[in-house]
Amino acid sequence: MTSLINVRGTLMDNSTGDGGGIVQPYAYNFQNVYNYGYETKLYGYVWPSLGLTVLILNVLMIVIFIRTRMSSTTHMYLAAITTLDTLTIIFPSIVYFHVFVILDIEDYLPYNLCKMWYYFTDIFPVTFHASAILLTVCLAGQRCLCAAYPLSVAQWFTKKVTLVSIVGCILIAVIFEVSEFILYTFDRVDILVSNETISGCKISIGRLETDEVRKYQISHFIVRVAIFELIPCIILIILDIIMLRKVHQAQKWRKNSSSNLQKSRRRNSSVTSTSTRLTILTLWFVGVFLIVEIPVVIILSIYAAGMLLSKTIVPLNELYTASVFSNFLVMLSFPLNFFIYFCCSKAFRVEAIRLLSCGISRKNKMPRNAFDSVFQRTISSQIDHANPAFQN
């Protein structure tokens, strides 16, 4: 995404001279926002490389989910979030590489790339990321209920309910961005650069009056910050605290359990351990999310407060530079999800090693029956075989 800050107005240039006293038209100009010049290199080279890495790891993660039959509701949420994260980084990567590497553009965006830039670096990534944030809240809420009511939660969070919630979160994010497709217009602007006229790009809300434009932009942005950033982060902090307490209680209960328990109770202890592992995995997942997302919330809140008060709290260019780093930090967290799961799930780890060890001869590979015996001692197998209530 160009930025988690809505910069459709900040990339416009209506006061740039050509060196001869001529004021250039109102056009999409990267130099007005990128203060230091390295941003185009970051977006053009590093971002696509990171996007390719995320794509490979997340595809591998979903393949492992399928091969190891990790199809619980928790894994459904994780697969959906992983897919949305991949789309969030891949769509802008395509345009960044084309604009900043292949075309080597550093100033005005050509008119023929106007719509593609707008949709691929702004609307689509923001929508995918907003959907992933809502699903992260759903995942944390589901794990909290699993930890609090382990014997009843399977009746509440069925796979059908999980699928409906995934679709619902995506629809909410899409509906919120529908107006961005309808209201914004793209106009050609002729710009004189080094005695040569080029066709630049102007993006504006062409169907609204000036006062209405400002009211719409302020209200839309503030509501987006509240619904998709501030409120979810507050909820996730609360849910994280609850999950930490439940994990501590579960670990304390297991330590106090006697070795001569009845068979059924030993089985319940094993299943409780499985549920606790999934909760710990979710804690890591949500913890990483909060670490990278809280700086974004701070930047967006400062920007929203400035819009609401019609006052420059922090210079816009400085905020945008900060948002470049915060965006990149968010993108860096995407490949970490694979390694979190690799460390927390033995079944996932075993299958990942099998897939990555294609050169091993067939006789040295683990027999399927042997793998099944290992798999049955892992999180997913315990969920499937110990008690249906823990399939979440």
Side-chain angles (χ1 to χ4, degrees):
M1 64 197 80
T2 300
S3 173
L4 295 177
I5 290 179
N6 186 334
V7 294
R8 288 153 203 154
T10 67
L11 281 175
M12 304 302 178
D13 175 16
N14 61 353
S15 60
T16 301
D18 65 350
I22 300 176
V23 177
Q24 296 289 3
Y26 196 65
Y28 212 93
N29 187 355
F30 299 118
Q31 291 182 349
N32 286 352
V33 177
Y34 298 150
N35 295 336
Y36 305 102
Y38 66 84
E39 292 92 342
T40 58
K41 305 302 180 184
L42 180 68
Y43 282 138
Y45 293 95
V46 181
W47 194 291
S49 301
L50 181 61
L52 182 60
T53 303
V54 170
L55 176 63
I56 294 172
L57 290 178
N58 287 350
V59 168
L60 180 61
M61 183 174 176
I62 293 176
V63 168
I64 294 173
F65 280 177
I66 295 173
R67 289 174 63 92
T68 55
R69 308 182 191 95
M70 293 182 178
S71 58
S72 69
T73 55
T74 298
H75 297 106
M76 289 175 65
Y77 278 126
L78 288 170
I81 294 170
T82 296
T83 302
L84 290 168
D85 286 347
T86 304
L87 295 175
T88 298
I89 194 171
I90 286 298
F91 270 82
S93 294
I94 296 171
V95 179
Y96 289 152
F97 186 77
H98 181 68
V99 171
F100 296 131
V101 177
I102 296 179
L103 299 181
D104 195 22
I105 295 173
E106 296 184 352
D107 45 25
Y108 292 99
L109 179 70
Y111 175 73
N112 62 334
L113 297 177
C114 201
K115 288 186 177 181
M116 179 181 288
W117 176 272
Y118 175 67
Y119 292 134
F120 277 54
T121 69
D122 193 334
I123 297 299
F124 293 157
V126 167
T127 303
F128 295 141
H129 189 59
S131 303
I133 290 174
L134 295 181
L135 287 177
T136 302
V137 175
C138 291
L139 170 64
Q142 180 245 23
R143 287 315 314 167
C144 274
L145 289 174
C146 285
Y149 307 100
L151 300 178
S152 306
V153 74
Q155 301 174 9
W156 307 334
F157 277 95
T158 62
K159 292 183 179 180
K160 182 177 180 180
V161 170
T162 301
L163 183 60
V164 170
S165 66
I166 291 173
V167 174
C169 289
I170 295 174
L171 284 178
I172 290 173
V174 170
I175 291 172
F176 193 80
E177 290 294 323
V178 164
S179 61
E180 307 300 287
F181 285 93
I182 300 174
L183 297 178
Y184 281 85
T185 59
F186 308 90
D187 301 314
R188 184 191 300 271
V189 178
D190 291 330
I191 307 165
L192 184 63
V193 178
S194 301
N195 296 324
E196 181 182 354
T197 301
I198 64 174
S199 295
C201 171
K202 174 184 175 184
I203 300 177
S204 60
I205 305 181
R207 298 175 176 83
L208 297 177
E209 299 296 332
T210 304
D211 291 340
E212 293 176 326
V213 168
R214 185 175 179 276
K215 290 178 181 179
Y216 165 79
Q217 288 179 324
I218 292 175
S219 60
H220 183 273
F221 184 80
I222 291 176
V223 172
R224 179 164 73 84
V225 172
I227 293 178
F228 299 108
E229 296 288 346
L230 184 59
I231 295 176
C233 282
I234 293 174
I235 294 175
L236 286 172
I237 291 173
I238 296 172
L239 293 176
D240 247 20
I241 294 173
I242 295 173
M243 283 190 287
L244 278 171
R245 291 184 60 185
K246 294 298 181 181
V247 167
H248 177 71
Q249 291 173 2
Q251 291 175 341
K252 186 177 180 180
W253 181 86
R254 286 200 306 275
K255 288 180 181 179
N256 295 334
S257 296
S258 174
S259 59
N260 58 354
L261 292 174
Q262 296 178 355
K263 182 178 179 181
S264 60
R265 194 170 179 186
R266 289 201 305 269
R267 187 181 68 175
N268 287 337
S269 177
S270 175
V271 175
T272 302
S273 176
T274 295
S275 182
T276 302
R277 292 179 193 176
L278 280 175
T279 304
I280 292 174
L281 185 148
T282 305
L283 276 170
W284 277 102
F285 189 88
V286 174
V288 171
F289 171 85
L290 287 173
I291 289 173
V292 300
E293 205 69 31
I294 286 177
V296 175
V297 173
I298 295 173
I299 294 170
L300 292 176
S301 298
I302 293 173
Y303 183 63
M307 293 180 68
L308 188 61
L309 300 173
S310 299
K311 181 180 179 180
T312 303
I313 300 175
V314 176
L316 189 58
N317 279 10
E318 297 300 327
L319 274 181
Y320 189 73
T321 300
S323 74
V324 171
F325 283 104
S326 64
N327 286 344
F328 191 66
L329 187 62
V330 171
M331 299 303 114
L332 282 176
S333 70
F334 291 171
L336 291 180
N337 297 334
F338 177 89
F339 297 105
I340 290 173
Y341 220 99
F342 187 89
C343 295
C344 293
S345 172
K346 186 174 182 180
F348 186 92
R349 188 163 55 250
V350 169
E351 186 63 18
I353 293 173
R354 290 187 67 206
L355 288 176
L356 295 175
S357 303
C358 299
I360 300 177
S361 60
R362 188 173 291 184
K363 66 178 181 179
N364 291 329
K365 290 184 179 179
M366 183 184 298
R368 186 63 187 176
N369 291 337
F371 171 75
D372 284 343
S373 66
V374 173
F375 177 68
Q376 289 172 4
R377 293 194 298 270
T378 60
I379 293 175
S380 296
S381 176
Q382 291 174 357
I383 293 173
D384 291 337
H385 295 89
N387 193 325
F390 289 90
Q391 289 186 1
N392 294 282

